[in-house]
Amino acid sequence: GSKSVILGVKDDQMVATFTGAHGFANGLDAVLDVANVLIKRGYENKIKLLFIGDGIKKDQLVKRKNDEKLDNCIFLDPVAKTDILKYLHASDVGLMILDNVPAFYYGTSPNKFFDYIATGLPVLNNYPGWLADLITENKCGIAVPPKEPEIFANALIDMFENPSKRKVMGSNARKLAENKFDRKNLANKLQELLLDHVNA
C-alpha cells in the first residue's frame, strides 16, 4: 500500500512497525536505542520506526524521542483493528519486541505476529524462544539477540539495502500464514504449540 497513510513517510523509505501495548514487558526502549544507531549511521531518512498503540510507558518513550531528537520514530495512538491492517500494508517490516526478561519470552501474545505475516511482512524479532525459531526456520524474517542495538540496526539496514531479499522473506511470511496459521486452525494450533512448550 502507499505509505501516505503514515504521516510524513515517503514511498522510498522503509517502515518497520510495532503494534500493541507500550508496557514494561515490551521493552520498546530497545527500539529507540536502535533509532539512535540508525541516525549515527546515516539512515535517519531511509528507515522509519512506527509505533502504534498505548501503554504505561508511552509518555516516557515519546519524551525520550523528543529529548534525543529521534525524528526517525513515529508514535501513533491506538487504531481500530481494521485500520491496523491499513498501516501494516503501508509497512515493510513487522517488529516483535520484548524486554530481555526470560519470564516474558513465552508470554508474548502472538496475535500481532499473525497480523504481520498475514499481511506478508517479514518479521524482525528481538528475543529468543519458539517465535524466533519459527521465523528462522521459515525464513520469514530475522531473529536478533536481545540487547544488541547494533545487530538489530544491521538487520534493518540489510532489509533496506536488499529489497529483493525482503520480498522473499515477506512471501515466505505469507505462505507461513496460509499454511500453518489459517484462522480456523489457529486456536487449535496455538493451543498445541503452547502445550508442547509447557510439557517440553
PDB file of all heavy atoms in Angstrom, residues 137-161:
ATOM      1  N   GLU A 137      13.406 -20.771  10.939  1.00  0.00           N
ATOM      2  CA  GLU A 137      13.132 -21.985  10.165  1.00  0.00           C
ATOM      3  C   GLU A 137      12.387 -21.681   8.878  1.00  0.00           C
ATOM      4  O   GLU A 137      12.618 -22.321   7.851  1.00  0.00           O
ATOM      5  CB  GLU A 137      12.290 -22.977  10.997  1.00  0.00           C
ATOM      6  CG  GLU A 137      13.090 -23.734  12.043  1.00  0.00           C
ATOM      7  CD  GLU A 137      12.187 -24.262  13.164  1.00  0.00           C
ATOM      8  OE1 GLU A 137      10.964 -24.428  12.936  1.00  0.00           O
ATOM      9  OE2 GLU A 137      12.722 -24.489  14.276  1.00  0.00           O
ATOM     10  N   ASN A 138      11.461 -20.736   8.941  1.00  0.00           N
ATOM     11  CA  ASN A 138      10.626 -20.451   7.768  1.00  0.00           C
ATOM     12  C   ASN A 138      11.171 -19.303   6.921  1.00  0.00           C
ATOM     13  O   ASN A 138      10.520 -18.884   5.961  1.00  0.00           O
ATOM     14  CB  ASN A 138       9.187 -20.166   8.206  1.00  0.00           C
ATOM     15  CG  ASN A 138       8.519 -21.413   8.742  1.00  0.00           C
ATOM     16  OD1 ASN A 138       8.029 -22.235   7.980  1.00  0.00           O
ATOM     17  ND2 ASN A 138       8.529 -21.584  10.057  1.00  0.00           N
ATOM     18  N   LYS A 139      12.340 -18.785   7.286  1.00  0.00           N
ATOM     19  CA  LYS A 139      12.998 -17.708   6.531  1.00  0.00           C
ATOM     20  C   LYS A 139      12.039 -16.552   6.239  1.00  0.00           C
ATOM     21  O   LYS A 139      11.985 -16.028   5.126  1.00  0.00           O
ATOM     22  CB  LYS A 139      13.571 -18.243   5.212  1.00  0.00           C
ATOM     23  CG  LYS A 139      14.620 -19.331   5.414  1.00  0.00           C
ATOM     24  CD  LYS A 139      15.245 -19.729   4.079  1.00  0.00           C
ATOM     25  CE  LYS A 139      16.395 -20.698   4.220  1.00  0.00           C
ATOM     26  NZ  LYS A 139      16.058 -21.946   4.940  1.00  0.00           N
ATOM     27  N   CYS A 140      11.240 -16.210   7.257  1.00  0.00           N
ATOM     28  CA  CYS A 140      10.244 -15.155   7.037  1.00  0.00           C
ATOM     29  C   CYS A 140      10.597 -13.896   7.822  1.00  0.00           C
ATOM     30  O   CYS A 140       9.731 -13.107   8.165  1.00  0.00           O
ATOM     31  CB  CYS A 140       8.848 -15.662   7.392  1.00  0.00           C
ATOM     32  SG  CYS A 140       8.640 -16.113   9.107  1.00  0.00           S
ATOM     33  N   GLY A 141      11.885 -13.724   8.109  1.00  0.00           N
ATOM     34  CA  GLY A 141      12.304 -12.545   8.841  1.00  0.00           C
ATOM     35  C   GLY A 141      13.669 -12.776   9.449  1.00  0.00           C
ATOM     36  O   GLY A 141      14.409 -13.674   9.022  1.00  0.00           O
ATOM     37  N   ILE A 142      13.990 -11.976  10.460  1.00  0.00           N
ATOM     38  CA  ILE A 142      15.295 -12.069  11.103  1.00  0.00           C
ATOM     39  C   ILE A 142      15.091 -12.065  12.615  1.00  0.00           C
ATOM     40  O   ILE A 142      14.332 -11.251  13.152  1.00  0.00           O
ATOM     41  CB  ILE A 142      16.202 -10.874  10.705  1.00  0.00           C
ATOM     42  CG1 ILE A 142      16.388 -10.825   9.184  1.00  0.00           C
ATOM     43  CG2 ILE A 142      17.564 -10.978  11.401  1.00  0.00           C
ATOM     44  CD1 ILE A 142      17.214  -9.639   8.692  1.00  0.00           C
ATOM     45  N   ALA A 143      15.759 -12.998  13.288  1.00  0.00           N
ATOM     46  CA  ALA A 143      15.736 -13.019  14.749  1.00  0.00           C
ATOM     47  C   ALA A 143      17.090 -12.501  15.232  1.00  0.00           C
ATOM     48  O   ALA A 143      18.131 -13.022  14.832  1.00  0.00           O
ATOM     49  CB  ALA A 143      15.491 -14.433  15.253  1.00  0.00           C
ATOM     50  N   VAL A 144      17.061 -11.440  16.031  1.00  0.00           N
ATOM     51  CA  VAL A 144      18.311 -10.884  16.563  1.00  0.00           C
ATOM     52  C   VAL A 144      18.349 -11.115  18.075  1.00  0.00           C
ATOM     53  O   VAL A 144      17.305 -11.240  18.709  1.00  0.00           O
ATOM     54  CB  VAL A 144      18.465  -9.369  16.249  1.00  0.00           C
ATOM     55  CG1 VAL A 144      18.555  -9.133  14.751  1.00  0.00           C
ATOM     56  CG2 VAL A 144      17.337  -8.547  16.853  1.00  0.00           C
ATOM     57  N   PRO A 145      19.553 -11.175  18.651  1.00  0.00           N
ATOM     58  CA  PRO A 145      19.627 -11.374  20.107  1.00  0.00           C
ATOM     59  C   PRO A 145      19.183 -10.122  20.846  1.00  0.00           C
ATOM     60  O   PRO A 145      19.255  -9.019  20.306  1.00  0.00           O
ATOM     61  CB  PRO A 145      21.114 -11.657  20.352  1.00  0.00           C
ATOM     62  CG  PRO A 145      21.835 -11.150  19.154  1.00  0.00           C
ATOM     63  CD  PRO A 145      20.873 -11.120  18.016  1.00  0.00           C
ATOM     64  N   PRO A 146      18.724 -10.292  22.092  1.00  0.00           N
ATOM     65  CA  PRO A 146      18.313  -9.123  22.890  1.00  0.00           C
ATOM     66  C   PRO A 146      19.505  -8.224  23.199  1.00  0.00           C
ATOM     67  O   PRO A 146      20.647  -8.677  23.168  1.00  0.00           O
ATOM     68  CB  PRO A 146      17.774  -9.726  24.188  1.00  0.00           C
ATOM     69  CG  PRO A 146      17.838 -11.201  24.060  1.00  0.00           C
ATOM     70  CD  PRO A 146      18.595 -11.554  22.822  1.00  0.00           C
ATOM     71  N   LYS A 147      19.209  -6.966  23.499  1.00  0.00           N
ATOM     72  CA  LYS A 147      20.211  -6.021  23.999  1.00  0.00           C
ATOM     73  C   LYS A 147      21.392  -5.837  23.043  1.00  0.00           C
ATOM     74  O   LYS A 147      22.524  -5.658  23.479  1.00  0.00           O
ATOM     75  CB  LYS A 147      20.746  -6.489  25.370  1.00  0.00           C
ATOM     76  CG  LYS A 147      19.712  -6.522  26.484  1.00  0.00           C
ATOM     77  CD  LYS A 147      19.824  -5.297  27.392  1.00  0.00           C
ATOM     78  CE  LYS A 147      18.891  -5.324  28.576  1.00  0.00           C
ATOM     79  NZ  LYS A 147      17.492  -4.978  28.264  1.00  0.00           N
ATOM     80  N   GLU A 148      21.128  -5.902  21.745  1.00  0.00           N
ATOM     81  CA  GLU A 148      22.202  -5.726  20.752  1.00  0.00           C
ATOM     82  C   GLU A 148      21.754  -4.728  19.692  1.00  0.00           C
ATOM     83  O   GLU A 148      21.447  -5.101  18.561  1.00  0.00           O
ATOM     84  CB  GLU A 148      22.538  -7.064  20.078  1.00  0.00           C
ATOM     85  CG  GLU A 148      23.150  -8.094  20.994  1.00  0.00           C
ATOM     86  CD  GLU A 148      24.627  -7.868  21.262  1.00  0.00           C
ATOM     87  OE1 GLU A 148      25.178  -6.877  20.736  1.00  0.00           O
ATOM     88  OE2 GLU A 148      25.222  -8.684  21.989  1.00  0.00           O
ATOM     89  N   PRO A 149      21.697  -3.415  20.062  1.00  0.00           N
ATOM     90  CA  PRO A 149      21.163  -2.437  19.112  1.00  0.00           C
ATOM     91  C   PRO A 149      21.913  -2.393  17.778  1.00  0.00           C
ATOM     92  O   PRO A 149      21.302  -2.162  16.734  1.00  0.00           O
ATOM     93  CB  PRO A 149      21.262  -1.104  19.848  1.00  0.00           C
ATOM     94  CG  PRO A 149      22.039  -1.353  21.080  1.00  0.00           C
ATOM     95  CD  PRO A 149      22.015  -2.821  21.359  1.00  0.00           C
ATOM     96  N   GLU A 150      23.217  -2.662  17.799  1.00  0.00           N
ATOM     97  CA  GLU A 150      23.989  -2.627  16.546  1.00  0.00           C
ATOM     98  C   GLU A 150      23.548  -3.756  15.608  1.00  0.00           C
ATOM     99  O   GLU A 150      23.384  -3.559  14.401  1.00  0.00           O
ATOM    100  CB  GLU A 150      25.498  -2.760  16.828  1.00  0.00           C
ATOM    101  CG  GLU A 150      26.104  -1.598  17.604  1.00  0.00           C
ATOM    102  CD  GLU A 150      26.332  -0.351  16.755  1.00  0.00           C
ATOM    103  OE1 GLU A 150      26.296  -0.452  15.518  1.00  0.00           O
ATOM    104  OE2 GLU A 150      26.537   0.729  17.342  1.00  0.00           O
ATOM    105  N   ILE A 151      23.361  -4.951  16.175  1.00  0.00           N
ATOM    106  CA  ILE A 151      22.961  -6.110  15.363  1.00  0.00           C
ATOM    107  C   ILE A 151      21.543  -5.894  14.830  1.00  0.00           C
ATOM    108  O   ILE A 151      21.233  -6.186  13.675  1.00  0.00           O
ATOM    109  CB  ILE A 151      23.054  -7.412  16.194  1.00  0.00           C
ATOM    110  CG1 ILE A 151      24.512  -7.673  16.592  1.00  0.00           C
ATOM    111  CG2 ILE A 151      22.502  -8.607  15.409  1.00  0.00           C
ATOM    112  CD1 ILE A 151      24.719  -8.879  17.496  1.00  0.00           C
ATOM    113  N   PHE A 152      20.688  -5.343  15.680  1.00  0.00           N
ATOM    114  CA  PHE A 152      19.301  -5.026  15.303  1.00  0.00           C
ATOM    115  C   PHE A 152      19.320  -4.000  14.162  1.00  0.00           C
ATOM    116  O   PHE A 152      18.624  -4.178  13.145  1.00  0.00           O
ATOM    117  CB  PHE A 152      18.606  -4.472  16.552  1.00  0.00           C
ATOM    118  CG  PHE A 152      17.107  -4.346  16.481  1.00  0.00           C
ATOM    119  CD1 PHE A 152      16.319  -4.859  17.510  1.00  0.00           C
ATOM    120  CD2 PHE A 152      16.481  -3.684  15.435  1.00  0.00           C
ATOM    121  CE1 PHE A 152      14.933  -4.721  17.480  1.00  0.00           C
ATOM    122  CE2 PHE A 152      15.096  -3.541  15.401  1.00  0.00           C
ATOM    123  CZ  PHE A 152      14.321  -4.065  16.428  1.00  0.00           C
ATOM    124  N   ALA A 153      20.128  -2.967  14.317  1.00  0.00           N
ATOM    125  CA  ALA A 153      20.225  -1.930  13.272  1.00  0.00           C
ATOM    126  C   ALA A 153      20.761  -2.547  11.972  1.00  0.00           C
ATOM    127  O   ALA A 153      20.255  -2.253  10.879  1.00  0.00           O
ATOM    128  CB  ALA A 153      21.121  -0.782  13.731  1.00  0.00           C
ATOM    129  N   ASN A 154      21.771  -3.426  12.081  1.00  0.00           N
ATOM    130  CA  ASN A 154      22.305  -4.095  10.885  1.00  0.00           C
ATOM    131  C   ASN A 154      21.224  -4.867  10.149  1.00  0.00           C
ATOM    132  O   ASN A 154      21.193  -4.886   8.915  1.00  0.00           O
ATOM    133  CB  ASN A 154      23.417  -5.083  11.266  1.00  0.00           C
ATOM    134  CG  ASN A 154      24.703  -4.377  11.649  1.00  0.00           C
ATOM    135  OD1 ASN A 154      24.877  -3.193  11.363  1.00  0.00           O
ATOM    136  ND2 ASN A 154      25.594  -5.090  12.323  1.00  0.00           N
ATOM    137  N   ALA A 155      20.353  -5.535  10.913  1.00  0.00           N
ATOM    138  CA  ALA A 155      19.282  -6.321  10.306  1.00  0.00           C
ATOM    139  C   ALA A 155      18.342  -5.405   9.515  1.00  0.00           C
ATOM    140  O   ALA A 155      17.952  -5.711   8.380  1.00  0.00           O
ATOM    141  CB  ALA A 155      18.511  -7.099  11.374  1.00  0.00           C
ATOM    142  N   LEU A 156      17.995  -4.262  10.103  1.00  0.00           N
ATOM    143  CA  LEU A 156      17.117  -3.309   9.410  1.00  0.00           C
ATOM    144  C   LEU A 156      17.807  -2.737   8.164  1.00  0.00           C
ATOM    145  O   LEU A 156      17.181  -2.616   7.100  1.00  0.00           O
ATOM    146  CB  LEU A 156      16.717  -2.163  10.351  1.00  0.00           C
ATOM    147  CG  LEU A 156      15.639  -2.489  11.391  1.00  0.00           C
ATOM    148  CD1 LEU A 156      15.501  -1.335  12.380  1.00  0.00           C
ATOM    149  CD2 LEU A 156      14.291  -2.776  10.723  1.00  0.00           C
ATOM    150  N   ILE A 157      19.081  -2.407   8.299  1.00  0.00           N
ATOM    151  CA  ILE A 157      19.819  -1.841   7.163  1.00  0.00           C
ATOM    152  C   ILE A 157      19.911  -2.872   6.045  1.00  0.00           C
ATOM    153  O   ILE A 157      19.715  -2.557   4.857  1.00  0.00           O
ATOM    154  CB  ILE A 157      21.221  -1.364   7.616  1.00  0.00           C
ATOM    155  CG1 ILE A 157      21.072  -0.112   8.488  1.00  0.00           C
ATOM    156  CG2 ILE A 157      22.126  -1.083   6.411  1.00  0.00           C
ATOM    157  CD1 ILE A 157      22.346   0.318   9.225  1.00  0.00           C
ATOM    158  N   ASP A 158      20.156  -4.130   6.427  1.00  0.00           N
ATOM    159  CA  ASP A 158      20.221  -5.215   5.453  1.00  0.00           C
ATOM    160  C   ASP A 158      18.893  -5.333   4.695  1.00  0.00           C
ATOM    161  O   ASP A 158      18.860  -5.484   3.481  1.00  0.00           O
ATOM    162  CB  ASP A 158      20.558  -6.523   6.181  1.00  0.00           C
ATOM    163  CG  ASP A 158      20.793  -7.671   5.215  1.00  0.00           C
ATOM    164  OD1 ASP A 158      21.453  -7.440   4.177  1.00  0.00           O
ATOM    165  OD2 ASP A 158      20.327  -8.793   5.477  1.00  0.00           O
ATOM    166  N   MET A 159      17.792  -5.231   5.433  1.00  0.00           N
ATOM    167  CA  MET A 159      16.470  -5.310   4.800  1.00  0.00           C
ATOM    168  C   MET A 159      16.235  -4.115   3.874  1.00  0.00           C
ATOM    169  O   MET A 159      15.638  -4.244   2.816  1.00  0.00           O
ATOM    170  CB  MET A 159      15.378  -5.376   5.864  1.00  0.00           C
ATOM    171  CG  MET A 159      15.261  -6.736   6.540  1.00  0.00           C
ATOM    172  SD  MET A 159      14.125  -6.622   7.966  1.00  0.00           S
ATOM    173  CE  MET A 159      13.485  -8.292   8.054  1.00  0.00           C
ATOM    174  N   PHE A 160      16.706  -2.941   4.320  1.00  0.00           N
ATOM    175  CA  PHE A 160      16.536  -1.745   3.494  1.00  0.00           C
ATOM    176  C   PHE A 160      17.351  -1.856   2.206  1.00  0.00           C
ATOM    177  O   PHE A 160      16.862  -1.542   1.119  1.00  0.00           O
ATOM    178  CB  PHE A 160      16.968  -0.486   4.267  1.00  0.00           C
ATOM    179  CG  PHE A 160      16.943   0.756   3.426  1.00  0.00           C
ATOM    180  CD1 PHE A 160      15.743   1.426   3.180  1.00  0.00           C
ATOM    181  CD2 PHE A 160      18.104   1.259   2.857  1.00  0.00           C
ATOM    182  CE1 PHE A 160      15.708   2.566   2.384  1.00  0.00           C
ATOM    183  CE2 PHE A 160      18.083   2.401   2.060  1.00  0.00           C
ATOM    184  CZ  PHE A 160      16.878   3.057   1.822  1.00  0.00           C
ATOM    185  N   GLU A 161      18.600  -2.298   2.332  1.00  0.00           N
ATOM    186  CA  GLU A 161      19.509  -2.330   1.185  1.00  0.00           C
ATOM    187  C   GLU A 161      19.191  -3.476   0.212  1.00  0.00           C
ATOM    188  O   GLU A 161      19.647  -3.467  -0.920  1.00  0.00           O
ATOM    189  CB  GLU A 161      20.969  -2.479   1.662  1.00  0.00           C
ATOM    190  CG  GLU A 161      21.470  -1.326   2.534  1.00  0.00           C
ATOM    191  CD  GLU A 161      21.685  -0.020   1.780  1.00  0.00           C
ATOM    192  OE1 GLU A 161      21.512   0.006   0.547  1.00  0.00           O
ATOM    193  OE2 GLU A 161      22.023   0.985   2.441  1.00  0.00           O
TER     194      GLU A 161
END
